[in-house]
Every structure is written in C-alpha cells, then in structure tokens.
Amino acid sequence: MRILLVEDDKDLSRLLKKALSEAGYVVDCALDGEEGHFLGDTEPYDAAILDLGLPKLDGISVLEKWRKAGRAMPVLILTARDRWSDKVAGIDAGADDYLAKPFHTEELLARLRALMRRAAGLASSAIEIGPLQIDTRTSRVTVAGHPVKLTSLEYRLLAYLAHHKGRVVSRTELVEHLYDQDFDRDSNTIEVFVGRLRKKLEANLIQTVRGLGYTLDVPPPESEA
C-alpha cells in the first residue's frame, strides 16, 4: 500500500516515514504544500497524511484542490492547532480523520489502517479469504491456521490484492501501488512475486485473468460433468 506523507517538519517526516516503512507501507514524502498537491494529483496513493500548517500552500487548500479534481484517497490530517474550528475546516474540506500533534505513532498507524479498511469496505483488521487470513495490524499471514512467512514486498502485494478482493487488478496498478516514485519500476517483476506467493500460499486464491491482471478470491467450485 502506497502512502503520501506531506509534512514540512523534516525530523517528524523522517520519523514517520521510518515508522510507516517498518509497518509495510511504501511512502513518498513532500515537504511543502505545492509539492504535496502535485504528487497527490499525479500519483496513485492508497491514503495521504497531510499536515495543515504547510509552506507555499496550506493543507486545507491542498485538500480542497485534491477533492475538486476528484482525488478520492482517504486523507488523515495532522495539525498542531488546538482550535476545534481548524479540525472542522479540515473535515469540511474533505478529510476523513484528523490527529492533533503531539501524537503517538501507534495511534497514527491505527487510524491509517482504519481509513484504508473503510475505503475497502472492510470492518475488521483481519481479512479472511477462504483458508487465507491476513492480520493487517500485525502483518501476520496464515493459511488454514498455519503461518506463512513472506518478504516485505510479497506481503504488500498480497495485502493490496486482499484490500481489493474479487476485483481484477492490473500489473500496472500493482506496480504503481507497491513501489515509490523513485523506484525503477518493471511490471514483469510482478509475475515473479505472484508466482512466489502462489507457492507459499499453497491455495488457488490468486487467479490470472488473461490480458487484464490478477484477482484474489475463493475460486468457484469446479462444475461436475
């Protein structure tokens, strides 16, 4: 899952990027509102973390521009301001949640998980698809109760497909959501990771839709002759 972090405090940005990366997210960072708006307007993100007090273009303006342009990714706003009116302004501009500074990183991660669950129509941090269970809180994956060890990228790929259960996801979309903007992207590597996942899961859950991409779901029962 790919996150946009727009925060002008370099130390806080660095700390949050580290925490988000360790939690399994791919993170792009912007240090001012103009850069943040540009990235959010031109790159696909699963969610954005947006500070309100930004240089060049304030967070409310960034958010309003995103929503006016039809950018629908969940947005968590950060604010050092303690006035309720600023929080209301953020929600009215299109934010999905807010967090006042200072905050605990664990709370930010929990709120972010909740935003993406709601965006995917999921009610719980545990995603179950047939024998497969993914705990998005701990990044733990099991099949029929047995733990499955995955690399960071394998987990990100599986989690993205799981958040879009039953929908065909193209290789291009997977590349856009699994790698940051500076990565040398190659959609052919997706086939390699899908192959590895199939072997590790030992269940026919990831299906190829020829010419379109992949879908993660319980396969339909084979019809009897």
Side-chain angles (χ1 to χ4, degrees):
M1 308 293 275
R2 190 175 172 198
I3 307 298
L4 173 61
L5 172 61
V6 190
E7 168 61 62
D8 65 313
D9 184 320
K10 293 182 179 180
D11 291 334
L12 179 58
S13 178
R14 184 166 54 251
L15 289 172
L16 290 180
K17 180 174 183 177
K18 183 175 183 293
L20 289 164
S21 298
E22 289 176 348
Y25 298 105
V26 175
V27 187
D28 291 337
C29 295
L31 294 173
D32 62 67
E34 287 185 356
E35 183 184 13
H37 169 256
F38 174 78
L39 288 175
D41 200 41
T42 58
E43 294 283 338
Y45 292 101
D46 297 294
I49 300 170
L50 176 68
D51 186 32
L52 290 187
L54 295 167
K56 297 187 179 180
L57 189 65
D58 67 89
I60 295 294
S61 297
V62 171
L63 185 52
E64 288 176 339
K65 286 176 178 289
W66 282 345
R67 295 313 192 212
K68 187 175 181 180
R71 303 296 288 171
M73 69 277 195
V75 175
L76 171 64
I77 56 173
L78 304 179
T79 176
R81 306 164 186 170
D82 203 24
R83 293 185 304 176
W84 63 266
S85 56
D86 291 318
K87 299 170 185 176
V88 170
I91 298 297
D92 284 343
D96 298 274
D97 199 359
Y98 69 85
L99 194 56
K101 299 177 183 177
F103 54 83
H104 292 288
T105 304
E106 291 79 5
E107 182 180 1
L108 180 141
L109 293 173
R111 288 177 179 270
L112 189 60
R113 288 193 299 268
L115 287 181
M116 290 193 289
R117 281 202 309 271
R118 289 199 292 270
L122 301 171
S124 169
S125 61
I127 304 174
E128 294 188 18
I129 304 172
L132 172 68
Q133 185 174 74
I134 305 170
D135 188 334
T136 59
R137 182 176 57 86
T138 62
S139 302
R140 186 171 183 265
V141 176
T142 59
V143 174
H146 302 290
V148 179
K149 188 175 182 179
L150 301 178
T151 66
S152 176
L153 202 146
E154 288 169 351
Y155 175 79
R156 293 203 302 267
L157 194 159
L158 182 64
Y160 189 82
L161 290 175
H163 276 83
H164 299 84
K165 172 189 172 185
R167 180 168 75 80
V168 179
V169 181
S170 70
R171 287 190 297 174
T172 299
E173 181 178 342
L174 286 170
V175 168
E176 289 176 338
H177 287 264
L178 297 180
Y179 299 115
D180 62 38
Q181 61 176 340
D182 297 323
F183 193 86
D184 184 13
R185 302 170 179 178
D186 180 3
S187 63
N188 292 324
T189 61
I190 295 298
E191 292 183 15
V192 175
F193 286 108
V194 167
R196 292 181 185 175
L197 276 174
R198 283 175 171 150
K199 290 180 180 179
K200 291 185 176 183
L201 297 178
E202 297 181 347
N204 187 26
L205 297 175
I206 302 177
Q207 300 145 46
T208 300
V209 181
R210 193 172 299 278
L212 296 176
Y214 305 98
T215 181
L216 177 65
D217 207 346
V218 177
E222 294 183 4
S223 60
E224 297 182 359

